């Protein structure tokens, strides 16, 4: 585990999440506990490879909030803008209404907060390790694919929200999300807090503005809109990688966890 911490983390993240799916027949709400699989895996690996100091460094990313107001606006606003753009694209392609605003439930708000259980693992632990030897774009591609496939049982277990929906479109989406989140991550000193806000805003904005679209159409249309944004950001990341990230707190992001 010390020799291959990244692989060990991914295996643990899957194992500590997928054990819950056989009991989802009792209640799909039990899936909430699966959100903490990546966080638990990250804390275990940080403790094994870095001891108390490693665990403290990992958890410090959750409270890293002094990153500048514009990045809060981007984390919360960009997913909202892209969801609205997807609604507009759906209308142009024949959807009956330009926009149908849905209602948010307390469950949506709870999920907004609990995605920190994912982000402590994906962005807090895995992304810095990936960035040590890979470009930001390549790191995003790998993490996005692993993150997407981590959801696999929710596409196979009846009763879960994503059952029967196109997994390919979803994995493409998580790769696109990952590219955008890496860009934000690098400019916020590796803040898990900002990554959590971004992730939560993705979920909330899609539930609020795209609830009238069927799941398959929503995923494919989102993948088009987010794909355009991801390509633009990938070009920016590629150019910045050639110059280095000294001006964006890159050295702090690379601190070992």
């Amino acid at each position: 585990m010390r020799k291959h911490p990244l692989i060990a983390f991914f295996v643990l993240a899957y194992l500590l999440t997928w054990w819950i799916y056989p009991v989802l027949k009792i209640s799909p709400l039990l899936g909430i506990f699966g959100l903490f699989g990546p966080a638990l895996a990250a804390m275990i690996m940080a403790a094994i490879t870095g001891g108390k100091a490693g665990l403290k460094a990992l958890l410090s990313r959750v409270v890293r909030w002094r990153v500048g107001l514009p990045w809060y606006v981007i984390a919360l606003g960009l997913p909202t803008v892209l969801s609205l753009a997807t609604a507009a694209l759906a209308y142009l392609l024949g959807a009956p209404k330009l926009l149908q605003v849905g209602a948010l439930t307390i469950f949506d708000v709870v999920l907004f907060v609990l995605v920190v259980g994912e982000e402590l693992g994906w962005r807090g632990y895995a992304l810095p390790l990936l960035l040590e030897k890979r470009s930001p774009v390549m790191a995003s591609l790998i993490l996005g694919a692993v993150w997407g496939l981590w959801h696999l049982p929710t596409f196979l277990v009846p009763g879960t929200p994503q059952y029967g929906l196109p997994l390919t479109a979803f994995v493409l989406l998580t790769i696109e999300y990952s590219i955008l989140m890496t860009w934000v991550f690098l400019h916020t000193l590796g803040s898990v807090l900002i990554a959590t806000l971004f992730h939560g805003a993705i979920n909330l904005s899609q539930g609020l503005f795209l609830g009238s679209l069927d799941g398959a159409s929503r995923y494919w249309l989102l993948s088009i809109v987010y794909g355009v944004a991801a390509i633009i950001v990938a070009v920016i990341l590629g150019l910045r990688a050639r110059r280095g990230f000294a001006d964006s707190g890159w050295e702090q992001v690379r601190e070992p966890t």
Side-chain angles (χ1 to χ4, degrees):
M1 296 176 78
R2 290 189 176 93
K3 187 175 181 181
H4 302 287
L6 187 60
I7 294 175
F9 162 74
F10 286 145
V11 172
L12 277 176
Y14 273 57
L15 291 177
L16 293 173
T17 301
W18 284 14
W19 71 270
I20 194 70
Y21 289 106
V23 301
L24 287 184
K25 294 181 180 179
I26 300 174
S27 172
L29 292 177
L30 292 174
I32 289 177
F33 294 102
L35 293 176
F36 294 95
L40 185 56
M43 289 188 287
I44 290 172
M45 290 306 304
I48 289 175
T49 59
K52 290 184 179 180
L55 185 57
K56 182 179 179 180
L58 172 67
L59 296 177
S60 71
R61 297 185 187 279
V62 179
V63 294
R64 192 167 291 173
W65 62 274
R66 295 182 178 181
V67 298
L69 180 60
W71 292 103
Y72 283 90
V73 175
I74 290 172
L76 294 172
L78 182 58
T80 302
V81 170
L82 294 178
S83 289
L84 290 171
T86 303
L89 177 60
Y91 181 73
L92 291 174
L93 293 177
K97 294 183 178 181
L98 174 59
L99 191 65
Q100 182 174 343
V101 179
L104 296 178
T105 66
I106 187 63
F107 184 69
D108 295 319
V109 177
V110 169
L111 282 180
F112 185 101
V113 176
L114 294 185
V115 291
V116 69
E118 288 191 51
E119 291 309 321
L120 185 61
W122 304 135
R123 251 57 62 173
Y125 186 82
L127 184 55
L129 287 180
L130 284 165
L131 288 169
E132 287 182 359
K133 297 181 179 180
R134 298 167 181 85
S135 71
V137 173
M138 182 56 64
S140 300
L141 295 176
I142 295 171
L143 184 56
V146 172
W147 178 24
L149 291 173
W150 174 77
H151 294 80
L152 176 62
T154 67
F155 289 82
L156 302 176
V157 177
T160 55
Q162 293 163 314
Y163 175 69
L165 296 180
L167 177 63
T168 301
F170 182 78
V171 174
L172 178 60
L173 257 178
T174 56
I175 291 173
E176 293 164 353
Y177 295 157
S178 189
I179 291 172
L180 297 177
M181 293 176 78
T182 295
W183 171 61
V184 173
F185 183 85
L186 289 172
H187 288 83
T188 57
L189 310 180
S191 173
V192 170
L193 171 62
I194 300 301
T196 299
L197 292 178
F198 197 109
H199 189 161
I202 287 173
N203 294 342
L204 280 186
S205 64
Q206 291 177 16
L208 189 60
F209 301 122
L210 303 177
S212 61
L213 296 176
D214 69 272
S217 297
R218 183 170 67 249
Y219 280 169
W220 286 116
L221 290 174
L222 280 166
S223 68
I224 294 172
V225 173
Y226 268 90
V228 172
I231 289 172
I232 294 172
V233 168
V235 172
I236 294 172
L237 286 172
L239 293 174
R240 289 181 65 82
R242 294 178 184 178
R243 298 195 302 265
F245 288 87
D247 61 337
S248 60
W250 175 232
E251 291 305 318
Q252 292 192 47
V253 173
R254 294 184 62 188
E255 288 175 359
T257 56

